[in-house]
Amino acid sequence: HLHNADIVSMPDKWEYPWYAAWDLAFHCLPLAMVDADFAKQQLRLLCQDGYLHPNGQMPAYEWKFEDVNAPVHAWATWRVYQMDRKLHEGQGDTAFLEAVFQKLVMTFTWWVNRKDRDERNIFEGGFLGMDNIGVFDRSSPLPTGGKIEQSDGTSWMAMFALNLMRIALELARTTPVYQEMATKFFEHFLYIAEAMTRGGGGHFNLWDEEDKFYYDVLHAPDDSRTRLRIRSMVGLIPLFAVEVIDDELLATVPEFHARALALIKRRPRLAELVSRWEEPGQATRHLMGLMRRKRLRSVLTRMLDETEFLSEFGIRSLSRYHLDNPYHYHTDEDSFSVSYVAGEAESDMFGGNSNWRGPVWFPVNYLIIESLQRYHTYYGDAFTIEYPTGSGQLHTLAQVADALSGRLARLFLKDENGRRPAMGDTEIHQTDPHFQDNLLFHEYFHGDDGHGLGASHQTGWTGLVVRLLHKADAK
């Protein structure tokens, strides 16, 4: 089925000259700022015959089709559609939106059929682009046998369901039949939320009440389950599954509204698991998210702690807590560990050239900022939280999002000494007049001092910084 002969946005035309599905999705936001038509064409490309498998699977990479990337294509499609609509005075390209939606329904179904082994709405998916973030290589057979029930895989699917629901609601403005599809994805989101909270037959779930954090769960062949208590980005990805809908939109989709209310009434246990979607919040808005206020506050308190996730330059991929408290897992044959490593990988997992055990990665940081902004549109100024944790200074979620944007932007901006943190100790890029303003866009950044690591021309997804700078300038 595969026949690729097109111009495709690369992660890095020098060191990584091949396409990657989730990289490309992130690329399309900065691309849309300069050429929205090209960004839309790129998003349609991976959904077309010759790329998308007939069963709905999207190729992860040009060199390893069968791997699985985080399903962010629907998110990118919706964001590019919104950006393009603003450029055309509110007139959205619904033909583009509908074309991609139809194919992504197939991809969603592929995930449900292939990555939910026990049909319990708890998903796997392997490493999901985050390389060595776990104690095991999640894309290989486990040394313990069994499988890993993934907090991130399950949360990505909850996000995917909400993204498709929102796209269907937009399409339903002109084609009312899409209200049924919107209901389908709303319902599936609720099932996933229930599974995350009441998994394991109601006796086990991905949320740890003691630590107030989400963890992957090792499900052994003897049916025992063990939480892998690694404080990593895996536990922050549930933040991404959030959507806010206002009464103005609901008025245009009365069938969806009625079906949603009927579902909640018929299945009150589902309604209990999400943030009171039936009750209007700030400015008559309704919230759908994996976390209620209490859990949201618990996760953010840990995320905004400078001794854990919060660095001077964004959110680390692994808590700094693990610098002095490595996580260990022992089997009869071997011992495995995860510790905080701010820079290049010390593990040879995935070739040792990529590290999710401490550094700051731009795409997930960008999604954290977006999620905080969406939560703020619901809670408004009534929800405040300490930023940084322990400082005694209370901020709204919008203010926290702006502050995180500033930390990420600071990577590329000159400090009081005229040096850019991302350029590190490379003097030619710090002081040479021929190089100092020609910036490199690194793959990821040191979790403590911010200097660039990995591929130095990872312009695509690190280029998301232009979105943060543009929004700051707009203010």
Side-chain angles (χ1 to χ4, degrees):
H1 71 282
L2 196 84
H3 182 77
N4 298 170
D6 300 275
I7 294 172
V8 188
S9 180
M10 303 283 109
D12 171 359
K13 71 173 185 176
W14 179 28
E15 293 165 277
Y16 296 121
W18 33 258
Y19 69 76
W22 83 315
D23 294 65
L24 186 144
F26 288 113
H27 298 177
C28 287
L29 271 71
L31 283 174
M33 297 178 69
V34 293
D35 191 341
D37 287 338
F38 179 70
K40 289 187 290 182
Q41 184 268 339
Q42 289 291 290
L43 288 167
R44 290 196 64 173
L45 194 62
L46 292 193
C47 296
Q48 291 176 349
D49 298 339
Y51 288 83
L52 194 71
H53 193 281
N55 64 16
Q57 182 181 9
M58 190 172 288
Y61 310 107
E62 184 176 327
W63 52 274
K64 197 170 185 182
F65 309 124
E66 70 274 17
D67 267 353
V68 181
N69 277 174
V72 292
H73 217 79
W75 164 82
T77 298
W78 176 241
R79 291 293 175 267
V80 169
Y81 171 82
Q82 290 176 302
M83 293 169 67
D84 185 54
R85 182 173 58 186
K86 287 182 180 179
L87 295 174
H88 292 87
E89 300 179 350
Q91 186 64 40
D93 186 351
T94 54
F96 153 73
L97 196 63
E98 187 170 19
V100 178
F101 175 82
Q102 296 287 356
K103 295 299 184 70
L104 290 182
V105 170
M106 295 170 57
T107 301
F108 185 90
T109 304
W110 178 86
W111 268 84
V112 169
N113 290 338
R114 299 295 181 91
K115 296 302 176 181
D116 177 14
R117 197 183 309 186
D118 297 330
E119 298 183 354
R120 295 189 301 107
N121 293 300
I122 295 290
F123 293 87
E124 299 170 66
F127 77 111
L128 289 175
M130 293 196 290
D131 296 4
N132 62 345
I133 200 167
V135 68
F136 308 121
D137 178 352
R138 301 188 301 174
S139 290
S140 300
L142 301 177
T144 59
K147 63 180 181 178
I148 292 179
E149 298 173 341
Q150 293 182 227
S151 172
D152 54 336
T154 306
S155 301
W156 285 122
M157 280 299 286
M159 174 186 173
F160 195 4
L162 288 179
N163 294 153
L164 290 176
M165 180 202 73
R166 187 62 189 86
I167 292 172
L169 289 174
E170 180 71 10
L171 294 172
R173 290 177 182 269
T174 53
T175 310
V177 70
Y178 278 105
Q179 293 181 76
E180 295 183 24
M181 293 299 290
T183 306
K184 169 215 164 28
F185 290 113
F186 172 67
E187 184 174 11
H188 213 125
F189 165 74
L190 291 179
Y191 291 151
I192 294 171
E194 180 179 46
M196 288 192 72
T197 306
R198 298 185 179 132
H203 303 294
F204 212 90
N205 57 72
L206 302 178
W207 171 259
D208 185 84
E209 189 58 39
E210 181 180 346
D211 286 357
K212 303 291 191 294
F213 202 68
Y214 288 96
Y215 295 118
D216 280 351
V217 171
L218 176 62
H219 189 171
D222 63 2
D223 209 33
S224 64
R225 287 181 169 86
T226 304
R227 287 194 184 92
L228 302 174
R229 296 177 185 271
I230 304 169
R231 300 178 191 173
S232 74
M233 187 60 65
V234 162
L236 300 180
I237 287 175
L239 286 168
F240 303 165
V242 56
E243 188 56 72
V244 177
I245 295 178
D246 58 32
D247 282 347
E248 181 182 354
L249 174 59
L250 288 178
T252 68
V253 285
E255 182 181 335
F256 166 79
H257 194 190
R259 285 172 177 262
L261 291 177
L263 174 64
I264 288 171
K265 185 176 181 180
R266 186 171 71 250
R267 301 286 301 278
R269 278 172 57 86
L270 294 180
E272 292 170 2
L273 296 168
V274 294
S275 299
R276 301 189 182 278
W277 122 271
E278 76 279 12
E279 297 180 10
Q282 180 81 1
T284 66
R285 295 185 173 102
H286 306 265
L287 179 70
M288 282 159 279
L290 287 178
M291 290 181 240
R292 283 187 172 188
R293 182 188 292 259
K294 186 177 179 180
R295 287 190 180 178
L296 177 63
R297 185 176 297 280
S298 296
V299 170
L300 293 182
T301 297
R302 196 177 293 283
M303 186 185 82
L304 299 176
D305 188 335
E306 291 179 309
T307 68
E308 292 219 30
F309 286 98
L310 182 62
S311 82
E312 190 177 345
F313 304 101
I315 301 300
R316 302 175 174 110
S317 49
L318 184 77
S319 170
R320 206 172 189 277
Y321 165 84
H322 291 299
L323 177 64
D324 298 320
N325 302 276
Y327 177 84
H328 300 285
Y329 189 93
H330 303 283
T331 67
D332 293 338
E333 293 79 24
D334 211 342
S335 180
F336 303 86
S337 67
V338 171
S339 60
Y340 174 78
V341 180
E344 300 281 7
E346 294 177 356
S347 163
D348 61 1
M349 193 182 296
F350 292 88
N353 60 354
S354 181
N355 184 24
W356 284 82
R357 295 184 176 181
V360 172
W361 288 78
F362 233 93
V364 286
N365 268 263
Y366 186 85
L367 288 174
I368 287 170
I369 290 166
E370 271 207 353
S371 298
L372 292 175
Q373 291 168 338
R374 283 203 296 280
Y375 272 112
H376 178 77
T377 62
Y378 178 76
Y379 287 118
D381 294 345
F383 188 111
T384 59
I385 193 163
E386 272 191 323
Y387 172 83
T389 299
S391 67
Q393 301 296 314
L394 295 178
H395 293 70
T396 68
L397 296 181
Q399 289 170 332
V400 173
D402 287 345
L404 291 178
S405 296
R407 290 188 182 225
L408 288 160
R410 199 182 306 151
L411 285 163
F412 299 97
L413 302 177
K414 290 183 178 180
D415 62 18
E416 63 276 8
N417 299 314
R419 300 178 72 85
R420 304 180 197 273
M423 301 304 109
D425 295 329
T426 310
E427 287 303 317
I428 192 172
H429 292 294
Q430 294 285 13
T431 59
D432 190 293
H434 301 292
F435 285 87
Q436 64 179 350
D437 294 324
N438 294 317
L439 305 188
L440 297 176
F441 290 78
H442 288 85
E443 189 177 3
Y444 54 100
F445 301 87
H446 194 279
D448 293 335
D449 64 32
H451 77 264
L453 297 165
S456 60
H457 288 62
Q458 198 92 0
T459 311
W461 69 11
T462 302
L464 285 164
V465 69
V466 74
R467 294 280 297 155
L468 305 180
L469 293 169
H470 186 260
K471 289 178 180 178
D473 288 343
K475 293 178 181 180

